[in-house]
Amino acid sequence: MILNQDGTRVDHTAAATLLLQLFMSVVDGTIVNIALPVLTREFAVSSSDVIWVITIYQLSITMLLLSLASLGEKTSYRRIFITGVVVFTLASAFCGAARSLEMLVAGRAIQGMGSACIMAVNPALVRLVYPRALLGRGMAFNAMTVATATAIGPTLAGAILTIASWHWLFLINVPLGMISIYMAQKSLPPNPSGPKKGKFDKLGAVFNAIVFGLVFYAAGSFSRQDNLAPSLGLLVLGAVAAIFYIRRETSRPMPIFPLDLFHNVKFTLSIVTSICSFTAQIDGE
């Protein structure tokens, strides 16, 4: 625990833990891109099949992010984060040991679940680790880490592939993950005490996964120019599910998807800007 000149305190071990694991989670979204030709040859599969190594990771995160944030709010951010690091680390080891594309895709799906746990509660833990006077600094560190990890992923992959096999793109996460687990257990704070926040909405979590999974998978299929008819069907199905999901969420006192936030113009503009930014990055890869 470090005392700053203004009297505020920041646990630098906790802050470093959050940034390290956020960096690893974001890097793993792009680090595999440059290895796709290698994986295509290694497993003797088509380029359209090997792209699932990337797609399944992104889908897992998208489908679980909001639900895990809600679960962390009702239980423990710290517990969700540590669980995510453990799952991410074990899945990375599984990916590194994969002997077929099916094994690798399965490992990446589980790895995405771990990343979803980490990303879902990271902002809430930043709020607990940094005092109010330094909260902006903590969020700035997060934003800088995400930007750096996104940019450095392909370069890091190229460096690893020049000296080692593709397996080390994942195995490198194992020792870093073990360090993160130790640091998290030692330093991350528990949720602040307060009134009971109700039960976790399991049905809402299922709806959330279905809606975001269908919509984003269909959108990705359009961008890859796959068979348009099934993609359009999935998009329509996702839109129908979204209507029921939104109607259900608006009637709940503590929804998984807090639609009232969109009444804030600044929040809405930031979300739209982020979507456009990440879409442009993905299309450019």
Side-chain angles (χ1 to χ4, degrees):
M1 188 76 73
I2 305 299
L3 181 64
N4 293 292
Q5 291 180 349
D6 59 359
T8 57
R9 293 176 180 272
V10 178
D11 189 327
H12 285 220
T13 301
T17 302
L18 296 179
L19 293 178
L20 172 61
Q21 203 57 45
L22 180 63
F23 180 87
M24 292 169 61
S25 298
V26 176
V27 159
D28 267 63
T30 59
I31 199 171
V32 186
N33 294 14
I34 200 171
L36 291 182
V38 177
L39 296 174
T40 300
R41 294 193 300 270
E42 175 86 10
F43 297 127
V45 295
S46 66
S47 57
S48 60
D49 288 334
V50 80
I51 200 69
W52 272 102
V53 175
I54 297 173
T55 301
I56 196 67
Y57 182 80
Q58 296 170 338
L59 272 179
S60 292
I61 295 174
T62 303
M63 294 168 66
L64 298 175
L65 199 62
L66 289 178
S67 300
L68 288 168
S70 175
L71 183 60
E73 176 75 19
K74 297 178 187 307
T75 56
S76 167
Y77 301 129
R78 181 179 185 273
R79 189 184 308 157
I80 296 294
F81 184 91
I82 294 174
T83 299
V85 179
V86 171
V87 170
F88 181 88
T89 303
L90 292 175
S92 295
F94 184 84
C95 289
R99 293 294 178 265
S100 67
L101 180 63
E102 291 77 13
M103 285 182 64
L104 182 57
V105 169
R108 286 285 282 175
I110 300 171
Q111 195 182 38
M113 295 176 189
S115 287
C117 290
I118 294 162
M119 294 181 182
V121 299
N122 182 279
L125 285 169
V126 168
R127 199 175 70 239
L128 298 181
V129 169
Y130 289 85
R132 183 180 294 273
L134 298 177
L135 186 56
R137 182 185 301 179
M139 298 306 294
F141 284 146
N142 261 26
M144 183 178 66
T145 299
V146 171
T148 302
T150 302
I152 206 174
T155 303
L156 181 60
I160 292 174
L161 291 175
T162 58
I163 59 175
S165 69
W166 64 266
H167 303 83
W168 285 97
L169 297 175
F170 306 105
L171 294 177
I172 194 174
N173 293 329
V174 176
L176 293 175
M178 294 174 68
I179 293 171
S180 293
I181 293 168
Y182 172 76
M183 292 170 63
Q185 290 178 327
K186 179 181 177 182
S187 63
L188 291 185
N191 286 24
S193 58
K196 280 196 165 186
K197 300 174 182 177
K199 293 183 179 179
F200 177 62
D201 183 8
K202 296 178 182 178
L203 182 58
V206 172
F207 261 114
N208 184 81
I210 291 173
V211 170
F212 281 94
L214 288 174
V215 171
F216 280 90
Y217 176 73
S221 298
F222 281 126
S223 66
R224 293 191 301 271
Q225 296 182 346
D226 291 346
N227 194 330
L228 296 182
S231 299
L232 182 59
L234 290 175
L235 187 61
V236 171
L237 188 60
V240 172
I243 293 172
F244 287 99
Y245 176 54
I246 290 172
R247 290 180 63 181
R248 184 177 187 277
E249 290 295 283
T250 53
S251 64
R252 298 189 64 81
M254 294 187 65
I256 289 177
F257 189 21
L259 294 164
D260 58 311
L261 288 177
F262 289 95
H263 296 157
N264 186 314
V265 176
K266 292 181 179 179
F267 176 83
T268 303
L269 287 175
S270 68
I271 292 295
V272 172
T273 303
S274 297
I275 292 173
C276 292
S277 173
F278 284 110
T279 301
Q281 291 176 27
I282 291 171
D283 286 344
E285 292 172 357

